[in-house]
Amino acid sequence: MMNSLRHRLLGFVLVVVMSLAAVLTAVAYLHAYAAAEVEVRNTISQITSNKVAFINEWVSSRQRIVNSVLLNVGHGLLKPVLDQARIAGGFDDCYLGEPDKTMTLSQATAPENYDPTGRPWYVAAVASEGPIASPPYLDATSKQPVITFAQALRRNGQLVGVVGGDVLLKRVVEEVLATQLPGNGQAFLLAQDGTVIAHPEANSSLKKISEVIPGFSLDAVPKEGLIHPLQLDNQPMLAVLQPVGKTGWLMGVLVSQSAAMAPVQQMLYRMLATLAGCLALAAAVIWLGMARMLQGLAVMRDAMRSVASGSGDLTLRLPVKG
């Protein structure tokens, strides 16, 4: 009977303790999960904004250099100005194309019968009121993406020419690939039509993003720089597509939600393991404590059994404690 009572008391106390511990663990986990999710989202937003700011500055600085050449066209020797701009902007080459089909380059000489007025960079610059950046294309030698910055020069409403410069996107690609995201997420840079400019996967330049990330669609993510949840291969993901200034490019981020929140899951497992250990220790302590507290009751039980048997000592006195 004593063992039965002890077991019942132990079970009751453990159920109460376990229930309280489970509630506290659940509340702590939910709070930690919510805080970690906010932190992950803030980190993704901050990193994306920083990368966009870097690329914007990189583009703007080269557009300013091209613009500075415009101010010197028609004022002295042109080649030194073009060469200075080439060095300042890290261009492969800088040049001026004129309406009469004259082509002046900073380093080389244009091929015979070369017509700059039919080139895409010239046509796009003439059609624009400001600087333009061409769609990226692959450099035949380095296999790196290249773009052309260009701007038309007009005086008194008449077209004087178009200044342009070709530059490797190596620095931009390196900056994008160096991105450290929660959950080993990936950052990438796209042209507006989904052509890859930079992506961690090797040999992905100028492929479509749907080829590099199967199942990923530009239409599935708003192009507003906001974090958008989506399913990719039945895995919950957090995706961002943020426009890069007036380039028409998109800075993209893709993070596995489960991988990003893995530290919180690991914390839950540690909490549960700690809870189990504490409950085992509490059970042992409670068992020993109840055994000590119920010791007098056991003595009384034995005495009552002796009296009830008819052979007990009716003069027996039980010590009173407490």
Side-chain angles (χ1 to χ4, degrees), residues 4 14 20 28 46 48 72 75 93 108 121 158 175 190 241 277 279 309 315:
S4 176
L14 285 180
L20 290 174
Q46 185 64 47
T48 305
N72 292 281
H75 303 286
D93 207 349
W121 54 268
Q158 297 296 314
E175 184 68 21
L190 307 175
L241 286 177
L279 286 175
S309 67
T315 66

Side-chain angles (χ1 to χ4, degrees), residues 263-278:
V264 183
Q265 294 295 122
Q266 292 169 0
M267 182 194 72
L268 174 62
Y269 299 146
R270 289 194 295 269
M271 289 172 67
L272 291 175
T274 303
L275 176 61
C278 289

Side-chain angles (χ1 to χ4, degrees), residues 37-112:
E37 189 172 29
V38 170
E39 181 63 25
V40 166
R41 286 175 171 267
N42 288 341
T43 300
I44 292 172
S45 296
Q46 185 64 47
I47 290 174
T48 305
S49 296
N50 288 344
K51 296 301 179 181
V52 167
F54 171 85
I55 298 170
N56 266 328
E57 176 55 31
W58 185 89
V59 169
S60 297
S61 64
R62 276 137 193 86
Q63 288 176 335
R64 288 194 296 268
I65 291 171
V66 169
N67 182 264
S68 70
V69 176
L70 296 179
L71 303 176
N72 292 281
V73 173
H75 303 286
L77 295 175
L78 183 59
K79 270 187 172 289
V81 174
L82 290 172
D83 195 50
Q84 186 178 12
R86 177 187 64 82
I87 295 170
F91 292 103
D92 280 357
D93 207 349
C94 280
Y95 39 81
L96 170 69
E98 301 176 58
D100 63 2
K101 301 182 181 180
T102 300
M103 182 70 172
T104 307
L105 294 92
S106 62
Q107 289 186 301
T109 302
E112 190 176 351

